[in-house]
Amino acid sequence: MLLITCPNCGADCAETELAPGGEAHLERFGPGSTDEDFAGYLFTRKNPKGVHFERWRHAFGCGKWFHAARCTVTLEVFGTYPAQVTEPPAEIVERIRARRPNWEG
Amino acid sequence: MSDAVSALDGRAAEPRPGLRLAECGLRGQITLRAGDLASSALVGAVEAITGVAVPEALSAGFAGDDRGAVWMAPDELLLFVPHAEVAGAVEMLEGALAGTHHMALDVSHARAVLRLEGADAAETLAKGAPLDFSEAGFPVGRARRTHLGGLAVGIWRRGPEEWELVCFRSFAHHLFAWLETSGVEGAEVGRFGV
Ligand SMILES: [Zn+2]
């Protein structure tokens, strides 16, 4: 069971209050892009063993989307941050580096 | 005009001695959504209608049985007024917020409000929702949206032993039955110092 703090409402949520939204910070390729880029956007995911950036929605709570950084092995949550960014904030990256010195980013 | 009837028409039960469950009957309910819940126009209108200030995040305020406001999301409140006042309250909100990005909708008949009271109320709820229902984890005045018994619900603590829940109208029977079963005599847990 993951316990994640929703940065929109501040509630500490059990995983069951949330809906997963998959890998975060994907670059979108739409009409006009190459087949390779479009297929990559649709299907290719990092699926790392370790640090992962994800999208989540507080579905049974405030209803808002947000981002979370967590470890797929230990389920440690490094932090959550707003949905309206295209990369993790520096403080989240710092926290991950402190906990995972060998993380390649 | 037809007579309005609430989802369970005020059904009440006492699953075990001292644990009282009731559907609250008709209550005026308004979903208010706006980009800025702190704008002076909104703050003034909400206070005029409900008698309470716009609640902080994850909290609720009440001024009498069926008058109050519950924080639902960063851009959403649920307002309670006596059922007979709801149309006028929506009109007042529309006037106060004219020209700003907002939605004020009468949802009185789309939702049901249930009340659970008694020393065992907290543990009765705790069986079905992923929240800490202790006094420290869920103090009086706190409001949370979550899931309970498989349903999306809003829950707020009106007093040490007094809780209210809101759910979609069509789920009212299920929520009532779930709470009645969870609180039935013989199902005591004694979790919260009962
Ligand atoms: Zn939230």
Side-chain angles (χ1 to χ4, degrees), chain B residues 12-173:
Chain B
E14 193 166 355
R16 64 175 176 255
L19 183 65
R20 293 173 305 283
L21 171 64
E23 191 243 11
C24 293
L26 288 172
R27 192 187 273 193
Q29 304 181 53
I30 300 164
T31 283
L32 177 61
R33 299 193 67 165
D36 182 9
L37 295 184
S39 77
S40 56
L42 186 146
V43 168
V46 166
E47 194 155 0
I49 288 166
T50 65
V52 297
V54 171
E56 305 266 307
L58 305 179
S59 63
F62 285 88
D65 240 21
D66 50 5
R67 208 182 277 281
V70 181
W71 189 93
M72 300 294 271
D75 57 1
E76 181 179 344
L77 301 173
L78 179 60
L79 308 180
F80 291 121
V81 296
H83 186 254
E85 293 180 21
V86 69
V90 169
E91 206 168 294
M92 184 179 167
L93 284 167
E94 290 294 358
L97 300 175
T100 69
H101 183 62
H102 76 281
M103 179 190 78
L105 194 65
D106 176 4
V107 295
S108 309
H109 302 167
R111 312 276 172 86
V113 183
L114 273 60
R115 182 177 292 207
L116 188 67
E117 289 174 280
D120 294 352
E123 68 158 56
T124 301
L125 296 167
K127 290 178 191 176
L131 299 178
D132 176 2
F133 284 93
S134 67
E135 292 265 10
F138 209 131
V140 172
R142 169 71 52 89
R144 273 293 305 267
R145 286 164 76 181
T146 187
H147 57 87
L148 184 143
L151 302 182
V153 297
I155 305 178
W156 49 94
R157 190 171 203 161
R158 289 193 64 156
E161 299 181 357
E162 191 183 341
W163 302 77
E164 278 182 359
L165 302 95
V166 67
C167 70
F168 292 123
R169 182 189 182 103
S170 55
F171 295 148
H173 175 82

